Amino acid sequence: MDANGTKLLEVRNLRVEFPSRRGTLVAVDDVSFDIAPGEVLGVVGESGAGKSMTGAAIIGLLEPPGRIAGGEILLDGQRIDNLPYEKMRRVRGRQIGAIFQDPLTALNPLYTIGRQLVETIVTHLDMGERAARDRAIQLLQDVGIPAAERRIDHYPHQFSGGMRQRVVIALALSANPRLIVADEPTTALDVSIQAQIITLIKRLCREHGTAVMLVTHDMGVIAETADRVAVMYAGRIAEIGPVRDVVRRARHPYTEGLMGSIPKIGETVGRLTQIDGAMPRLDAIPRGCAFNPRCARAFGRCRIDRPDPMDVDGARVACWLYGEGR
Amino acid sequence: MIAFVIRRLLQAVLVMMAVGFVGFSLFAYVGDPVAIMLGQDFTEESRRQLVHELGLDQPFFVQYVHFLLNAAQGNFGISYRLARPVSELLLERMPATLELSLCAAAIALAVGVPMGVYTGLKRDTWLSRLLLTVSLVGVSLPTFLIGILLILVFSVVLGWLPSFGRGTTVAVGWWTTGFLTESGVRALILPSITLALFQMTLIMRLVRSEMLEVLRTDYIKFARARGLSDRAINFGHALKNTLVPVITITGLQLGGIIAFAIVTETVFQWPGMGFLFIQSVSAADIPVMAAYLVLIAFFFVLINLVVDLLYYAVDPRLRVDRTAAGGHGH
Ligand SMILES: Nc1ncnc2c1ncn2[C@@H]1O[C@H](COP(=O)(O)OP(=O)(O)O)[C@@H](O)[C@H]1O
Ligand code: SF4
Ligand SMILES: [Mg+2]
């Protein structure tokens, strides 16, 4: 939330399920958070925590049989989780853009990048082909593609991975959306260019006032880029709050563990591998707090009741250490 | 590009030489042309003379080269059965086979691709299931049975369409066409459907599985995330990406159609090369058989070549030009 308390995106008690032969798997369970206009929300958590599913639910592209089984998603106060397909299609790209993980596979190999940009622009904006092409060239310049007038007519395979991710970013921004969902936008890239791409996303979104939901494994990136951070564990939010609080004085024992994996100054990559044990599978989530088998500070109640996020000076933390009657 | 074409041409020549070898071996080892041509009464002298005329007293390799040189000029000798130049016989019948094959290929594509797209996009509708089930039957029923069933229904019972022959044809230069007369067109219908059915089901299943594959790719998901319309995604992005394999297979199938026409032509007594071939087999007319083999192989090779070039036109990744590739790096 910004100073006025306006919210661009509100996710309320979101639940995403996968019906399967051995019962229903709950990939996202009772997740709530907001994103203010222009704000960068970092989302972290081990692989399988439900980050991508949350993002996919927001842009309305959960893959069947996955489905939103509960809660609501609001953009500018309007529900978007139950929009008819055609209405939601107009939200995608226009209001909410997406940046995918692997730029090598996100672009159609048979069309020039110019064609892909122009079709996106004319789909959403009231523009002719000529104007759309000018806008496309401008976008390519903005994302740092040299000789954009010439490169616009090239095919994806004629670009390197880093350059292709810049094209993907240009595509995501081409109709000036209010929110970008960036799901691990640098994970597939060479380490040497990850920082450039993150800096680019951050700069462009600040210039355009675009909010970002930035999913990443890299705590260093979060510390530098995000305004607020949500930590997810086993489909739920463990802790969410301003980046300084969460990084410097993590309150949830899982977040503390993650922060232990922040690289010291000078190192560049931090992977979330430092906590002993593994996140439970969706069909074997323990009773009580899902983190209790790995938690050094677990106590009786942790094994019986599931903690919901509760206010702990400015942040929200799902841990009984902060519960009443401790 | 030029290097690519030259390489493919060289490969084509090699393949044709290998096929020529098989055709030649037919000559050399199957049947005894001398005995066939001489008939019952002959003298040792006339026999030796014929052997010499046919070049059969030359070393094997020389005979092979001779055969290749002659074949390259379209000279396959004289038919034992009809006592006319083989090239003439084949040329006469080629239009019938090619018109039938092209019609069949057109039907197979025109029906197979839309059915494949439909069953790929609307996987769970009853129509999709029906098409898939029927296509299984189409693949497993033998061609001659389909032909006979069609004749039974449309010629014998309903009496709508002719059951054999090409109808009235019109000569356009050396080519005879059935497209210009009503009876010619009517005569084409049943045989081309018969010939098309197998390829049609094949193309439908191919397009369907390619569509399913492509719809799962990241770039289609990203296209959805960009908010493109379903139409643009399905027909602009997905269908075009299925085209590369479809072109290949259809191209190869066209060769197959020309070859498979043997059965259809026999069932419908279609005066094409396949029918000629079957008649030649029963008469042990080796020159015609050898020439037919070489010709069919030639069609295959030619079609392959065209397919490769089409590929090239559809997929920009194969057209890496040096200047653009130089633009790699950050
Ligand atoms: N098609 C599916 N069927 C069943 N479970 C799935 C499917 N796709 C993803 N999941 C599960 O959903 C959970 C959340 O996945 P995801 O959101 O991709 O995690 P991440 O935080 O790594 O992005 C994972 O445990 C994953 O196993
Ligand atoms: S609720 Fe208990 S088990 Fe869960 S994180 Fe807090 S202390 Fe650990
Ligand atoms: Mg993920």
Side-chain angles (χ1 to χ4, degrees):
Chain A
M1 256 181 265
D2 70 6
N4 306 322
T6 49
K7 297 160 187 168
L8 174 64
L9 182 83
E10 296 167 70
V11 176
R12 296 271 159 270
N13 309 105
L14 179 68
R15 181 179 174 92
V16 174
E17 291 182 352
F18 283 92
S20 82
R21 243 170 281 132
R22 287 169 291 117
T24 301
L25 300 175
V26 183
V28 177
D29 183 11
D30 202 13
V31 162
S32 302
F33 60 88
D34 306 324
I35 301 181
E39 183 182 54
V40 178
L41 175 74
V43 180
V44 291
E46 280 161 292
S47 191
K51 308 181 295 292
S52 298
M53 292 302 138
T54 307
I58 291 170
I59 54 176
L61 286 179
L62 276 174
E63 274 183 51
R67 62 185 194 95
I68 296 179
E72 43 191 54
I73 300 169
L74 297 92
L75 187 75
D76 279 328
Q78 305 287 315
R79 271 185 79 168
I80 56 168
D81 57 292
N82 57 0
L83 286 182
Y85 182 87
E86 193 53 26
K87 283 225 169 97
M88 188 59 199
R89 175 177 80 70
R90 287 171 204 282
V91 171
R92 282 197 286 272
R94 181 70 189 89
Q95 307 285 343
I96 307 179
I99 299 174
F100 279 28
Q101 179 169 340
D102 188 354
L104 298 187
T105 56
L107 300 170
N108 187 336
L110 300 188
Y111 291 130
T112 62
I113 60 164
R115 200 204 126 135
Q116 300 185 51
L117 278 160
V118 168
E119 70 179 349
T120 315
I121 294 167
V122 297
T123 298
H124 297 296
L125 304 180
D126 190 16
M127 258 187 202
E129 296 265 333
R130 179 84 47 83
R133 190 179 156 91
D134 291 342
R135 181 177 168 85
I137 291 172
Q138 184 62 47
L139 281 162
L140 290 177
Q141 283 165 353
D142 289 349
V143 297
I145 304 244
E149 296 89 353
R150 188 169 58 83
R151 294 292 261 159
I152 188 172
D153 292 317
H154 286 181
Y155 290 92
H157 71 270
Q158 295 169 306
F159 294 83
S160 67
M163 282 295 156
R164 278 194 235 186
Q165 194 62 312
R166 289 172 191 265
V167 173
V168 168
I169 293 169
L171 279 163
L173 289 172
S174 56
N176 230 335
R178 324 257 326 265
L179 172 70
I180 295 270
V181 176
D183 193 350
E184 307 197 31
T186 59
T187 307
L189 297 178
D190 205 84
V191 178
S192 60
I193 49 177
Q194 290 183 350
Q196 292 174 22
I197 295 295
I198 289 290
T199 312
L200 177 70
I201 294 175
K202 193 177 167 181
R203 176 174 65 78
L204 287 173
C205 289
R206 198 175 42 223
E207 283 171 12
H208 293 87
T210 313
V212 187
M213 174 175 158
L214 178 64
V215 175
T216 176
H217 278 297
D218 192 330
M219 290 306 302
V221 164
I222 292 286
E224 278 173 32
T225 316
D227 299 311
R228 285 190 311 134
V229 192
V231 180
M232 289 190 70
Y233 188 81
R236 294 168 69 90
I237 288 192
E239 176 164 6
I240 180 168
V243 70
R244 230 180 290 112
D245 289 0
V246 175
V247 172
R248 298 255 175 77
R249 30 182 201 121
R251 273 154 292 207
H252 195 287
Y254 177 62
T255 317
E256 272 177 45
L258 286 186
M259 295 310 141
S261 70
I262 292 196
K264 300 287 169 287
I265 297 159
E267 290 176 62
T268 44
V269 226
R271 290 281 157 180
L272 314 181
T273 52
Q274 308 253 325
I275 310 164
D276 287 339
M279 205 172 59
R281 294 205 333 233
L282 291 186
D283 54 0
I285 293 182
R287 190 170 163 213
C289 172
F291 188 56
N292 82 61
R294 298 168 77 186
C295 181
R297 297 162 71 182
F299 58 103
R301 190 175 183 185
C302 303
R303 298 186 185 88
I304 301 159
D305 295 332
R306 175 157 299 182
D308 284 322
M310 39 207 133
D311 286 321
V312 184
D313 23 278
R316 289 176 70 76
V317 185
C319 172
W320 289 128
L321 290 175
Y322 306 91
E324 278 161 31
R326 159 79 175 119
Chain B
M1 172 73 188
I2 292 174
F4 171 79
V5 172
I6 290 177
R7 201 166 57 229
R8 301 299 288 121
L9 279 176
L10 280 179
Q11 281 172 8
V13 169
L14 277 179
V15 170
M16 286 314 297
M17 282 173 67
V19 173
F21 185 77
V22 173
F24 170 69
S25 305
L26 259 183
F27 260 117
Y29 298 111
V30 180
D32 182 354
V34 179
I36 297 171
M37 288 174 87
L38 283 176
Q40 297 297 316
D41 327 295
F42 58 90
T43 61
E44 184 54 22
E45 183 52 32
S46 67
R47 197 191 76 84
R48 208 169 306 130
Q49 170 141 15
L50 186 61
V51 165
H52 183 73
E53 271 171 19
L54 292 175
L56 296 179
D57 50 354
Q58 307 260 2
F60 180 85
F61 183 71
V62 175
Q63 288 188 41
Y64 172 53
V65 171
H66 252 268
F67 176 85
L68 282 185
L69 289 178
N70 279 329
Q73 296 162 16
N75 181 1
F76 289 94
I78 310 283
S79 158
Y80 302 154
R81 185 171 65 97
L82 300 169
R84 288 177 54 202
V86 172
S87 49
E88 227 177 270
L89 290 172
L90 284 172
L91 218 57
E92 255 173 40
R93 286 158 174 80
M94 195 186 301
T97 298
L98 290 186
E99 286 190 352
L100 174 63
S101 304
L102 286 178
C103 265
I107 293 176
L109 269 179
V111 182
V113 171
M115 287 202 313
V117 171
Y118 178 80
T119 51
L121 291 178
K122 308 258 183 232
R123 251 191 308 172
D124 299 320
T125 61
W126 63 267
L127 183 57
S128 286
R129 282 165 221 237
L130 182 75
L131 286 175
L132 278 179
T133 317
V134 171
S135 80
L136 258 187
V137 179
V139 174
S140 45
L141 270 189
T143 307
F144 75 87
L145 200 62
I146 294 172
I148 289 170
L149 283 176
L150 286 178
I151 289 178
L152 189 69
V153 175
F154 293 97
S155 306
V156 180
V157 177
L158 297 171
W160 290 351
L161 294 165
S163 65
F164 65 90
R166 265 188 104 184
T168 316
T169 57
V170 176
V172 181
W174 64 272
W175 188 277
T176 57
T177 178
F179 287 135
L180 298 179
T181 65
E182 198 201 314
S183 80
V185 172
R186 280 159 50 88
L188 256 172
I189 296 175
L190 288 186
S192 19
I193 291 179
T194 306
L195 189 52
L197 224 51
F198 181 78
Q199 325 291 337
M200 188 166 89
T201 50
L202 215 67
I203 288 174
M204 175 190 128
R205 293 182 153 262
L206 176 76
V207 170
R208 181 186 118 91
S209 67
E210 285 297 326
M211 272 307 258
L212 291 178
E213 187 85 6
V214 169
L215 287 174
R216 271 198 298 270
T217 59
D218 258 20
Y219 56 81
I220 293 296
K221 286 182 206 158
F222 189 51
R224 286 197 206 292
R226 286 189 274 143
L228 302 187
S229 68
D230 272 7
R231 207 187 140 83
I233 291 171
N234 293 338
F235 296 99
H237 287 263
L239 187 58
K240 181 152 187 197
N241 272 281
T242 65
L243 279 186
V244 172
V246 170
I247 287 175
T248 324
I249 301 287
T250 314
L252 296 180
Q253 289 308 316
L254 185 59
I257 287 179
I258 296 175
F260 272 121
I262 291 181
V263 178
T264 310
E265 288 184 4
T266 309
V267 171
F268 288 91
Q269 294 173 43
W270 190 260
M273 299 186 296
F275 194 33
L276 175 71
F277 177 75
I278 291 291
Q279 291 169 328
S280 307
V281 169
S282 33
D285 195 348
I286 305 287
V288 176
M289 289 162 64
Y292 178 79
L293 277 185
V294 173
L295 196 65
I296 291 291
F298 177 72
F299 280 132
F300 264 92
V301 168
L302 192 72
I303 289 165
N304 264 340
L305 205 63
V306 174
V307 165
D308 278 347
L309 295 177
L310 273 181
Y311 233 59
Y312 209 77
V314 172
D315 195 336
R317 281 165 296 189
L318 300 175
R319 294 177 238 146
V320 187
D321 68 40
R322 292 283 174 314
T323 51
H328 272 259
H330 316 305

